[in-house]
């Protein structure tokens, strides 16, 4: 499907628009059941778009995941997740979420980093639990407290309707339904008509009594 990409220069604020045609095809091996999302704190989103940088990130991820079939699923700026715009000092970056998928299970290092004990340490401002060597350093600074692991369950395939030959089967003669017995509609009509009229008459009598018979001096 066609998309329009709008980019701007951070220094001069010049904008450039380009139409891009994106064709989405299913992955050969299907969607990876094991997915992990890492927050890279020292990068902007455009710095992780080049293929060479993504290969470096996958090599670093393989060191902590202990799998070799990793590939990048999605790259999202931290600003799109509610992050704040960094101050233009000290070369601060906006941060990037990188989702990586694999058909192999998570390593004990990743599981320990997302354990309840690790989340408690993060809540207390301490370092999270990570039992492995951080192979991302020094190129990528991972915010381990923001690590998310997701195990995707494949959705069952829903079969479509089965089309027949288009010819009705021979089921014999058509038998129409039996006739419905006549119903008495007069009582319902009288209730529907007389009840509102009686209520309206009572309201008129009450209103007339209040306005005519309850006046001062009468």
């Amino acid at each position: 499907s066609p998309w329009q990409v709008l980019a701007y220069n951070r220094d001069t604020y010049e904008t450039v628009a380009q139409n891009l045609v994106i064709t989405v095809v299913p992955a050969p091996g299907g969607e990876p059941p094991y997915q992990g999302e890492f927050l890279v704190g020292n990068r902007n989103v455009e710095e992780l778009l080049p293929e060479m940088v993504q290969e470096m990130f996958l090599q670093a991820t393989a060191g902590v995941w202990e799998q070799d079939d990793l590939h990048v699923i999605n790259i999202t700026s931290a600003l799109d997740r509610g992050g704040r715009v960094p101050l233009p000092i000290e070369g601060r970056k906006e941060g990037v979420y990188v989702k990586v998928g694999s058909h192999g299970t998570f390593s004990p290092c990743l599981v320990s980093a997302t354990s309840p004990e690790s989340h408690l340490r993060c809540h207390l401002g301490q370092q999270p639990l990570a039992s492995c060597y951080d192979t991302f350093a020094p190129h990528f600074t991972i915010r381990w407290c923001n690590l998310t692991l997701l195990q995707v369950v494949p959705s069952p395939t829903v079969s479509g309707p089965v089309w027949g030959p288009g010819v009705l089967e021979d089921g014999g003669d058509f038998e129409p339904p039996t006739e419905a017995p006549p119903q008495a509609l007069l009582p319902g009509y009288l209730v529907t008509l007389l009840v509102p009229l009686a209520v309206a008459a009572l309201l008129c009598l009450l209103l007339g009594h209040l306005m005519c018979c309850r006046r001062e001096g009468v």
Side-chain angles (χ1 to χ4, degrees):
S1 59
W3 293 80
Q4 186 180 40
V5 180
L6 183 64
Y8 75 96
N9 191 313
R10 294 176 180 272
D11 299 328
T12 62
Y13 296 99
E14 296 180 357
T15 59
V16 177
Q18 181 179 0
N19 293 328
L20 182 64
V21 179
I22 301 177
T23 303
V24 180
V25 296
E31 186 178 11
Y34 298 94
Q35 301 178 7
E37 191 172 52
F38 302 83
L39 175 57
V40 185
N42 64 333
R43 296 281 180 164
N44 291 329
V45 63
E46 66 271 9
E47 298 175 352
L48 277 168
L49 295 180
E51 184 177 358
M52 182 177 62
V53 181
Q54 295 184 23
E55 290 295 333
M56 292 176 54
F57 186 84
L58 291 178
Q59 292 177 4
T61 308
V64 297
W65 197 316
E66 301 176 0
Q67 298 291 339
D68 56 358
D69 65 334
L70 303 174
H71 64 276
V72 177
I73 299 177
N74 188 29
I75 297 177
T76 307
S77 172
L79 301 181
D80 297 334
R81 300 287 188 86
R84 296 182 179 180
V85 178
L87 297 176
I89 57 176
E90 302 176 358
R92 298 184 181 180
K93 305 293 184 176
E94 62 189 26
V96 185
Y97 284 93
V98 183
K99 181 180 289 187
V100 180
S102 172
H103 287 82
T105 58
F106 301 116
S107 65
C109 174
L110 297 179
V111 174
S112 63
T114 56
S115 62
E117 294 81 3
S118 181
H119 290 164
L120 178 60
R121 293 172 62 92
C122 290
H123 181 71
L124 297 176
Q126 302 175 3
Q127 291 294 330
L129 297 176
S131 58
C132 57
Y133 178 73
D134 189 359
T135 56
F136 291 95
H139 302 288
F140 307 101
T141 302
I142 303 300
R143 306 289 187 242
W144 290 102
C145 289
N146 298 90
L147 175 64
T148 302
L149 301 181
L150 177 63
Q151 187 172 354
V152 180
V153 179
S155 58
T157 304
V158 180
S159 59
V162 179
W163 299 98
V167 180
L168 294 177
E169 297 181 359
D170 186 9
D173 297 335
F174 174 71
E175 297 180 359
T178 58
E179 296 182 359
Q183 299 180 1
L185 303 179
L186 181 60
Y189 170 76
L190 294 177
V191 171
T192 306
L193 181 63
L194 296 179
V195 171
L197 291 177
V199 174
L202 291 176
L203 292 177
C204 291
L205 292 176
L206 179 61
L207 183 60
H209 174 71
L210 294 176
M211 295 182 64
C212 300
C213 300
R214 306 294 295 181
R215 298 176 59 186
E216 184 179 357
V218 177

